[in-house]
Amino acid sequence: MAGLIATLALGAQAADVLDAAISRFVALASYRATVRSVGTGGEGQLIRYGYRKPGWVRMAFVRPHAGAVLVYDPGARKVRLWPFGVGYLLVLTLSPDNALIRGEHGHRVDRSDVGALLANLAALRDRGSAAPLGDAVIGEQQVTGVEVKGAGDANVAGVHRYRVWFARDTLFPARVESYGVDGQAIETVMLEDVERDVAFPDDFFRPER
């Protein structure tokens, strides 16, 4: 009985961290971060990422596709892509589900923000469990970890298990690891140089104007 009570207490602790992280995100108006990701093949991405509610996204690629910029307009539900950088004549207007701009694992730009991640974590927790991973340090940042795992073969967007480390002061995700039902790693994402509630200039999400 004591073991069961301890297990339930740990699960509640992890759920509290996730719920608090969701509440913090709901209160945010915007954020900016450097996003580093590594997939199963060892390939990596480095993106300067900006987000503003109700869903504006700007990605400036450092690698691969150095110089490319894309902006998602949540009102029009369209993506503007500058393959060679803002200022060049070639500009494409695409649907967010266009294969040209879908990630290796099917990621969509309109579901790429931290809010979408937190929603996936909550959905998977509701179909499984959450457990604390304890406190750690990433770089110079104090973090606390949570593992969320689906029961049986339950998954959300192909992810069966997440290991997420949140900054202890802001509860903003700092590192996210995702795994499939087969236990194999899907992707590791690092969010660095995070700025919250950024006052973006007027043309940041409309660079053509």
Side-chain angles (χ1 to χ4, degrees):
M1 179 63 72
L4 175 60
I5 292 174
T7 299
L8 292 174
L10 289 173
Q13 176 186 338
D16 287 345
V17 170
L18 179 54
D19 287 339
I22 293 171
S23 294
R24 294 281 189 96
F25 183 81
V26 168
L28 279 182
S30 62
Y31 71 89
R32 174 163 49 201
T34 298
V35 179
R36 299 177 185 271
S37 65
V38 179
T40 52
E43 67 286 356
Q45 285 191 329
L46 177 60
I47 300 170
R48 311 297 185 194
Y49 189 100
Y51 174 85
R52 185 175 68 194
K53 291 180 178 177
W56 288 94
V57 173
R58 174 170 170 155
M59 296 183 182
F61 289 81
V62 179
R63 67 170 185 266
H65 318 303
V69 173
L70 65 78
V71 173
Y72 174 66
D73 178 343
R77 301 184 68 181
K78 294 293 183 181
V79 177
R80 297 274 282 169
L81 170 64
W82 291 261
F84 306 110
V86 173
Y88 286 83
L89 291 178
L90 180 58
V91 184
L92 305 176
T93 300
L94 306 168
S95 168
D97 63 359
N98 190 295
L100 183 64
I101 53 174
R102 294 286 292 267
E104 177 192 3
H105 302 290
H107 299 319
R108 295 167 53 120
V109 62
D110 58 337
R111 295 283 297 165
S112 63
D113 63 278
V114 163
L117 166 68
L118 294 173
N120 285 350
L121 287 167
L124 189 60
R125 177 193 61 187
D126 291 346
R127 300 174 61 188
S129 61
L133 294 172
D135 296 336
V137 177
I138 295 177
E140 298 180 353
Q141 189 172 40
Q142 300 286 329
V143 298
T144 187
V146 174
E147 180 175 79
V148 179
K149 185 176 182 180
D153 290 341
N155 68 89
V156 173
V159 178
H160 174 63
R161 179 166 62 102
Y162 284 103
R163 290 166 61 89
V164 185
W165 283 264
F166 297 93
R168 290 181 62 186
D169 55 348
T170 65
L171 294 182
F172 200 89
R175 179 185 175 96
V176 182
E177 299 173 3
S178 55
Y179 301 83
V181 175
D182 59 2
Q184 296 298 307
I186 297 173
E187 187 178 36
T188 297
V189 178
M190 302 285 291
L191 292 95
E192 303 169 346
D193 306 320
V194 175
E195 300 174 67
R196 300 175 304 133
D197 287 324
V198 178
F200 290 109
D202 291 341
D203 63 350
F204 186 79
F205 295 101
R206 293 187 174 92
E208 72 277 15
R209 293 187 177 180

